């Protein structure tokens, strides 16, 4: 079955250190992949997407994501984490007739 | 920057009552969506709407639910007879296309059914 998965419920990282939030996918054909962020009591904000082309996608707030076809992954990264990056991060993809299927979410905590 | 707005931010209702959640999508967008997020769980797709009709719906979107675009700006979700398990955060979203196009989400309406 087609799906997106986020294997980590929680990621903790020290401020200034690089961060990675993991996402794997199982999609037939060429995948479209998205990352969204949810700050407390806010809606989901679009960060970036992979459609085709360069495997390294750059997005908002200094985030980037690397598409890896052989590993079926689309991990979100940032070279230097900020405390303000602490939020809930969702990987998502259109699957079948569903416009967006979300992963379960990963809570990122950046510690000063 | 244009944004999706939703009202009310919080709705408390008694089981069996009807509720209407309102959304104003981004003005030049053509595709509209409702999602819900039960506390502590993932975001789930409910329904998509295009050209004044439902284009896709999930198993969650049963006969208790309906959507409407009553005028050129509003997009509503109605739950006819609320159940306790309808308690969730409901998000509206809009986009200017499907598939490759990102969706823009509103801040959500927290629905509490007592």
């Amino acid at each position: 079955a087609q799906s997106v998965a986020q294997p980590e419920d929680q990621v903790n990282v020290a401020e200034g250190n690089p961060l990675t939030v993991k996402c794997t996918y199982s999609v037939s054909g060429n995948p479209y992949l998205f990352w969204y962020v949810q700050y407390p009591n806010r809606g989901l904000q679009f960060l970036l997407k992979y459609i085709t082309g360069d495997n390294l996608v750059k997005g908002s707030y200094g985030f980037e994501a690397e598409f890896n076809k052989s590993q079926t992954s689309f991990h979100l990264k940032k070279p230097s984490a900020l405390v303000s990056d602490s939020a809930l991060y969702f990987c998502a993809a259109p699957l079948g007739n569903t416009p967006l299927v979300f992963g379960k979410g990963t809570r990122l905590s950046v510690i000063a | 920057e244009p944004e999706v707005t939703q009202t009310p931010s919080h709705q408390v209702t008694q089981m069996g009552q009807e509720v209407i959640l309102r959304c104003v999508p981004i003005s030049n967008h053509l595709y509209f969506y409702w999602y819900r997020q039960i506390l502590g769980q993932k975001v789930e797709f409910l329904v998509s709407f295009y050209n004044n009709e439902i284009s896709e719906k999930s198993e969650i979107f049963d006969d208790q639910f309906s959507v409407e675009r009553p005028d050129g700006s509003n997009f509503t979700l109605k739950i006819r007879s609320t159940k306790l398990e309808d308690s969730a955060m409901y998000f509206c979203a809009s986009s200017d296309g499907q598939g490759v196009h990102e969706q823009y989400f509103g801040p959500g309406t927290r629905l509490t059914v007592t």
Side-chain angles (χ1 to χ4, degrees):
Chain A
Q2 299 189 93
S3 64
V4 288
Q6 295 178 244
E8 302 157 318
D9 291 333
Q10 175 94 31
V11 170
N12 298 318
V13 64
E15 187 176 30
N17 281 2
L19 69 87
T20 299
V21 182
K22 295 179 180 178
C23 173
T24 59
Y25 66 89
S26 174
V27 175
S28 57
N30 295 319
Y32 302 145
L33 297 162
F34 298 79
W35 276 102
Y36 285 83
V37 59
Q38 185 180 29
Y39 297 102
N41 301 313
R42 301 280 298 277
L44 295 100
Q45 295 180 37
F46 167 74
L47 277 180
L48 51 79
K49 65 183 178 183
Y50 172 81
I51 305 302
T52 186
D54 285 343
N55 290 338
L56 188 64
V57 179
K58 294 190 183 297
S60 307
Y61 313 121
F63 283 92
E64 57 191 29
E66 186 172 9
F67 174 71
N68 187 315
K69 189 171 183 178
S70 63
Q71 296 186 3
T72 61
S73 66
F74 187 55
H75 299 335
L76 182 70
K77 300 183 180 187
K78 188 173 183 182
S80 178
L82 300 172
V83 172
S84 57
D85 293 329
S86 298
L88 194 54
Y89 290 81
F90 292 95
C91 181
L95 298 177
N97 294 328
T98 304
L100 272 183
V101 173
F102 287 85
K104 65 179 180 179
T106 298
R107 186 165 300 282
L108 173 68
S109 291
V110 181
I111 304 154
Chain B
E1 183 177 331
E3 58 183 18
V4 177
T5 59
Q6 290 184 243
T7 54
S9 57
H10 191 189
Q11 174 90 45
V12 181
T13 190
Q14 289 189 326
M15 195 167 51
Q17 295 295 304
E18 174 184 287
V19 294
I20 298 175
L21 310 183
R22 291 182 166 79
C23 168
V24 178
I26 294 173
S27 62
N28 63 339
H29 284 180
L30 301 176
Y31 295 82
F32 314 115
Y33 314 86
W34 284 100
Y35 293 82
R36 79 172 185 190
Q37 184 181 33
I38 294 172
L39 188 63
Q41 298 186 24
K42 66 162 83 173
V43 179
E44 301 172 291
F45 167 71
L46 292 177
V47 65
S48 59
F49 192 85
Y50 170 71
N51 201 25
N52 284 322
E53 60 183 26
I54 290 173
S55 48
E56 300 291 345
K57 61 182 181 178
S58 71
E59 291 178 352
I60 303 168
F61 194 87
D62 61 21
D63 292 344
Q64 294 296 318
F65 292 88
S66 62
V67 289
E68 191 178 33
R69 188 155 163 82
D71 53 42
S73 59
N74 289 284
F75 179 51
T76 62
L77 174 70
K78 182 191 292 186
I79 308 175
R80 189 157 52 89
S81 178
T82 50
K83 303 188 276 285
L84 293 176
E85 54 264 38
D86 293 328
S87 295
M89 183 74 93
Y90 288 81
F91 293 107
C92 173
S94 68
S95 66
D96 57 9
Q98 286 188 299
V100 304
H101 297 264
E102 60 268 26
Q103 296 176 27
Y104 292 87
F105 285 76
T109 293
R110 180 168 299 284
L111 177 65
T112 302
V113 183
T114 62

